Amino acid sequence: MHTQQQQFQGAARLLRAARKIVALTGAGISTESGIPDFRSPGSTWLQNPPVSYPDFVSKPEARRQYWATRRGFLAQVLEARPNPAHLALAELERRAILLGLVTQNFDGLHLDAGHDPARVVEIHGTSRAAACTLCDFRAPIEEIQRRVDEGESDPQCQLCGGYMKSATILFGQHIPGNVLAQAKELARNCDLFLVVGSSLQVAPAAHLPRLALKNNAPLLIINLMPTPLDSYANVVIQEKAGLALPRLVEML
Ligand code: NAD
């Protein structure tokens, strides 16, 4: 059993040796920005599961429920600001040792923290935009939310009549092939895979660390609770990301 100090030293060694870090982040990196995650103790998410994609496209009632419950999350996202963990990852990019960042979050906070958008793969989409379920039409989310607030409970696409939803990936919805391919490519090409704030329970994102391990990249996990991949990791730090990441950047 290592002390936390030894874990930080081990993690700093991994970071110092790396030139092509790939980070995978999850909802846990944004809890310190005021956006709750799904699987921390006290979360009510499992009792109120979000609408699935098959239900969204087939049931008007599901779409109404979706839009009725959207407003709270959107308000949290629009108010949230990047926290020290987001900023520390952006600092790794500025130091030219971050090859890319795959995020399961759709809150846009990594982009707010200053990353080059070309290096960020939002594998579950973004809640800053709305997208049509049938054609390529997209609109700012505030515009569609305004229509909902003004009484349209099931807003439709002005071009094709498809259903509008936030440009995020719902359960049961396919991730676009090019997005997944980009994430896998990063995982295969890194020389250190860094997981921050993810329970590693949502596939296919949770499989990315395995791809990196298969290609002999070390694995560093920073997460408050244990994950299913802890036993494969070179170093695990169970600490708040907003404390751990800035401390590690300082140790570089
Ligand atoms: P998750 O909720 O399954 O797990 C979050 C993990 O982060 C937990 O294991 C928890 O212990 C850890 N954690 C919480 N606060 C932390 C902190 N301050 N520092 C370090 N670790 C912390 O999240 P997931 O693995 O991302 O999967 C949930 C799915 O829900 C993802 O698809 C995600 O996109 C989505 N989601 C996104 C947001 C967002 O965009 N901010 C919010 C909620 C859910």
Side-chain angles (χ1 to χ4, degrees), residues 166-211:
S166 152
T168 53
I169 303 291
L170 293 181
F171 285 100
Q173 182 176 1
H174 285 295
I175 295 172
N178 60 330
V179 173
L180 190 55
Q182 205 188 344
K184 287 181 175 174
E185 179 75 6
L186 284 171
R188 276 194 212 99
N189 286 299
C190 68
D191 61 4
L192 171 63
F193 198 90
L194 166 62
V195 175
V196 186
S198 174
S199 63
L200 294 178
Q201 289 184 35
V202 182
H207 296 151
L208 295 172
R210 290 179 193 275
L211 265 185

Side-chain angles (χ1 to χ4, degrees), residues 25-32 35-40 73 104-107 124 171 196-202 222-227 239-242:
T25 64
I29 197 170
S30 294
T31 54
E32 291 167 77
I35 305 174
D37 63 8
F38 279 174
R39 291 183 183 80
S40 280
F73 182 70
Q104 300 168 83
N105 297 343
F106 26 71
D107 55 32
H124 293 163
F171 285 100
V196 186
S198 174
S199 63
L200 294 178
Q201 289 184 35
V202 182
I222 300 173
N223 201 59
L224 276 180
M225 286 165 64
T227 81
E239 180 53 276
K240 285 188 173 179

Side-chain angles (χ1 to χ4, degrees), residues 22 93 98-103 110-111 114-122 178-179 181-183 185-186:
V22 167
E93 184 179 301
L98 189 83
L99 181 65
L101 168 64
V102 181
T103 185
H110 287 299
L111 295 177
H115 284 276
D116 173 357
R119 288 193 188 272
V120 177
V121 182
E122 291 178 312
N178 60 330
V179 173
Q182 205 188 344
E185 179 75 6
L186 284 171

Side-chain angles (χ1 to χ4, degrees), residues 10 46 49 54 58 63 84 100 102 112 116 138 156 203 226 239-240 252:
L46 284 176
S58 63
R63 290 194 294 280
V102 181
D112 288 350
D116 173 357
R138 283 167 85 97
Q156 291 177 7
E239 180 53 276
K240 285 188 173 179
L252 285 182

Side-chain angles (χ1 to χ4, degrees), residues 9-249:
Q9 281 164 351
R13 270 196 298 277
L14 290 176
L15 287 163
R16 273 187 221 113
R19 292 291 170 270
K20 293 186 294 176
I21 302 167
V22 167
L24 169 67
T25 64
I29 197 170
S30 294
T31 54
E32 291 167 77
S33 293
I35 305 174
D37 63 8
F38 279 174
R39 291 183 183 80
S40 280
S43 164
T44 56
W45 173 74
L46 284 176
Q47 290 95 58
N48 308 298
V51 170
S52 71
Y53 190 69
D55 280 353
F56 185 90
V57 291
S58 63
K59 298 179 186 162
E61 193 39 49
R63 290 194 294 280
R64 277 194 280 276
Q65 184 198 334
Y66 172 87
W67 281 109
T69 53
R70 233 23 245 162
R71 161 144 286 301
F73 182 70
L74 183 62
Q76 274 171 351
V77 163
L78 295 180
E79 263 177 34
R81 295 289 168 267
N83 67 51
H86 296 104
L87 299 175
L89 286 179
E91 176 61 23
L92 294 182
E93 184 179 301
R94 263 191 296 280
R95 296 188 188 193
I97 54 172
L98 189 83
L99 181 65
L101 168 64
V102 181
T103 185
Q104 300 168 83
N105 297 343
F106 26 71
D107 55 32
L109 290 178
H110 287 299
L111 295 177
D112 288 350
H115 284 276
D116 173 357
R119 288 193 188 272
V120 177
V121 182
E122 291 178 312
I123 196 166
H124 293 163
T126 177
S127 57
R128 305 271 181 106
C132 173
T133 49
L134 286 182
C135 75
D136 289 337
F137 179 71
R138 283 167 85 97
I141 190 69
E142 292 91 333
E143 204 176 283
I144 305 300
Q145 185 68 52
R146 198 175 318 118
R147 283 169 54 187
V148 173
D149 293 347
E150 286 168 5
E152 273 185 72
S153 57
D154 183 7
Q156 291 177 7
C157 171
Q158 54 231 59
L159 294 186
C160 78
Y163 305 121
M164 293 303 291
K165 63 183 271 301
S166 152
T168 53
I169 303 291
L170 293 181
F171 285 100
Q173 182 176 1
H174 285 295
I175 295 172
N178 60 330
V179 173
L180 190 55
Q182 205 188 344
K184 287 181 175 174
E185 179 75 6
L186 284 171
R188 276 194 212 99
N189 286 299
C190 68
D191 61 4
L192 171 63
F193 198 90
L194 166 62
V195 175
V196 186
S198 174
S199 63
L200 294 178
Q201 289 184 35
V202 182
H207 296 151
L208 295 172
R210 290 179 193 275
L211 265 185
L213 286 167
K214 238 178 159 178
N215 288 280
N216 300 318
L219 175 62
L220 165 58
I221 298 179
I222 300 173
N223 201 59
L224 276 180
M225 286 165 64
T227 81
L229 291 189
D230 284 3
S231 59
Y232 297 88
N234 299 66
V235 179
V236 177
I237 295 183
Q238 283 186 5
E239 180 53 276
K240 285 188 173 179
L243 295 177
L245 272 174
R247 180 168 161 195
L248 285 170
V249 168

